[in-house]
Amino acid sequence: MGSWCSSGNRHVATEGGIPKAMTFQQRHLLDIESLTVDELTTVFDLADRFLEISERPIKKVPTLRGRTVVNLFMEPSTRTRVSFEVAEKRLSADSVNISASGSSTSKGETLLDTVRNIEAMNPQILVVRHGEAGAPHFIADRVDAAVINAGDGAHAHPTQALLDCATMRRALGSIRGREVAIVGDIAHSRVARSNMVALSKLGARVRVSGPRTMLPPHLEDFGVEIVDSLPQALEGVDVVMMLRIQAERLGNKCLFASTREYARTFGLTNATLELTKPEAIVMHPGPINRGVEMAPEVADGPRSVILNQVTYGVAVRMAVLYLLAGSPPVE
Ligand code: CP
């Protein structure tokens, strides 16, 4: 029987607690570019529903019982890996975790051979993090299982952008017309790339800023405004998204004078936060380098929604797993 539940300041028609008229035509989740605005909205509406399950005393539904999900993490991760595993367990899927150091890739096995062997065990979904841009696409072209990109090189991190947008929508009520500043190492950030695409699709106005050496070429193609200084980026915005310097992707390159100089020029403090709207929220995908891109008092302050992002991450990943598993009934 149909019912109405509140989602932020909107009302969504539901059936059995799941939003009606869900739109999601994807076989894999590899990037944000492939998703329509309706598909983005479907994920957010569904995540609101799954957030409620995560708040129950017994945080488990049998929705993905009998389905197998393999989490193949070839690069380090805390938030993404744990939240996928928690999401899978809350949906009663059988989840299996593989990391680079514990797998036979450390003995020289190729990624393709590894994936073919995993595929032979008939999982429904593969969640893939890899240091090489395009690795999840490469796998998706060669397996029957649905593939979720959990971050590939500096290319894309679609579930991070989905959870960031879902957190913004929940905190602010809407995304269209909002001013969002993304600050830091844009060139090496898959989070920045996926968020620029998602926020532009959803009608936000995005400003990006960072050291010139950390801004990639053709950034304007994302439909964002490039500003030189942190104060210009922060002036009057609704959302500040601070990014970590991706040291693991810099190699021997030296793109800024010193960490101290970077913190002085692009680090968010309570003083610079004053330039934003009074109700502006502060976001960070994690892990944070406290005292570099963000002062500890900002990370832990009243405007920070950083841990809300992590909480929403589980709900968003439950939604994505559910949609890629063919939207089975929820009990
Ligand atoms: N935000 C994010 O991807 O964090 P992890 O690297 O810890 O997964």
Side-chain angles (χ1 to χ4, degrees):
M1 197 166 65
S3 64
W4 290 88
C5 75
S6 175
S7 172
N9 64 350
R10 297 157 316 99
H11 289 281
V12 178
T14 67
E15 191 165 84
I18 295 296
K20 273 182 178 174
M22 288 193 312
T23 307
F24 201 84
Q25 302 295 328
Q26 306 294 321
R27 201 166 87 74
H28 308 285
L29 177 63
L30 300 175
D31 51 40
I32 295 292
E33 284 84 340
S34 308
L35 302 181
T36 64
V37 172
D38 283 347
E39 286 173 327
L40 292 169
T41 306
T42 291
V43 175
F44 304 151
D45 288 345
L46 203 46
D48 284 340
R49 160 71 175 133
F50 284 127
L51 196 63
E52 183 271 312
I53 291 172
S54 295
E55 288 163 355
R56 291 180 189 171
I58 307 291
K59 305 173 199 316
K60 207 171 183 76
V61 287
T63 310
L64 295 192
R65 195 169 43 200
R67 318 269 174 124
T68 304
V69 182
V70 176
N71 303 309
L72 180 61
F73 276 69
M74 308 306 276
E75 244 197 357
S77 169
T78 298
R79 280 146 291 271
T80 313
R81 184 176 52 81
V82 175
S83 75
F84 264 112
E85 193 177 344
V86 170
E88 290 150 16
K89 289 186 183 332
R90 289 194 180 159
L91 291 171
S92 301
D94 297 315
S95 50
V96 180
N97 299 307
I98 304 173
S99 62
S101 60
S103 78
S104 289
T105 55
S106 61
K107 302 177 201 164
E109 187 170 54
T110 65
L111 178 64
L112 184 55
D113 279 335
T114 299
V115 166
R116 281 190 175 140
N117 280 270
I118 294 169
E119 172 91 329
M121 300 178 216
N122 289 322
Q124 274 75 38
I125 299 178
L126 291 178
V127 179
V128 179
R129 170 168 287 195
H130 203 284
E132 293 296 328
H137 295 68
F138 173 84
I139 294 170
D141 284 344
R142 288 161 177 82
V143 298
D144 289 331
V147 176
I148 300 174
N149 181 356
D152 62 328
H155 171 236
H157 196 346
T159 58
Q160 181 69 46
L162 290 171
L163 77 88
D164 290 341
C165 291
T167 306
M168 273 181 231
R169 193 180 81 149
R170 187 126 182 135
L172 304 172
S174 64
I175 291 180
R176 180 160 296 281
R178 296 291 183 176
E179 301 273 356
V180 180
I182 305 179
V183 180
D185 180 4
I186 311 293
H188 303 97
S189 174
R190 54 196 176 204
V191 175
R193 208 169 292 269
S194 289
N195 266 302
M196 288 189 291
V197 177
L199 288 165
S200 297
K201 280 184 190 244
L202 294 165
R205 288 194 290 272
V206 181
R207 285 175 223 172
V208 298
S209 193
R212 283 266 157 199
T213 50
M214 292 184 167
L215 301 180
H218 311 299
L219 197 45
E220 57 283 355
D221 293 353
F222 287 93
V224 300
E225 183 189 355
I226 302 154
V227 296
D228 283 330
S229 71
L230 182 65
Q232 280 176 289
L234 298 180
E235 187 68 48
V237 293
D238 300 281
V239 179
V240 188
M241 186 182 294
M242 301 303 292
L243 301 174
R244 178 178 68 88
I245 298 166
Q246 304 274 305
E248 69 275 26
R249 301 193 206 289
L250 299 187
N252 292 326
K253 285 184 280 182
C254 186
L255 301 184
F256 53 98
S258 68
T259 305
R260 197 166 161 184
E261 172 66 12
Y262 182 92
R264 199 181 61 74
T265 318
F266 284 101
L268 185 65
T269 62
N270 273 336
T272 47
L273 189 56
E274 287 291 306
L275 294 165
T276 67
K277 287 196 180 134
E279 66 280 11
I281 56 172
V282 174
M283 307 182 76
H284 193 301
I288 302 173
N289 287 136
R290 288 170 179 261
V292 182
E293 68 269 19
M294 188 181 287
E297 60 269 25
V298 177
D300 303 328
R303 315 267 287 275
S304 169
V305 295
I306 294 169
L307 294 179
N308 304 65
Q309 289 173 259
V310 178
T311 302
Y312 235 124
V314 174
V316 163
R317 287 169 178 131
M318 288 171 79
V320 169
L321 290 161
Y322 169 85
L323 290 164
L324 291 177
S327 308
V330 177
E331 291 164 40

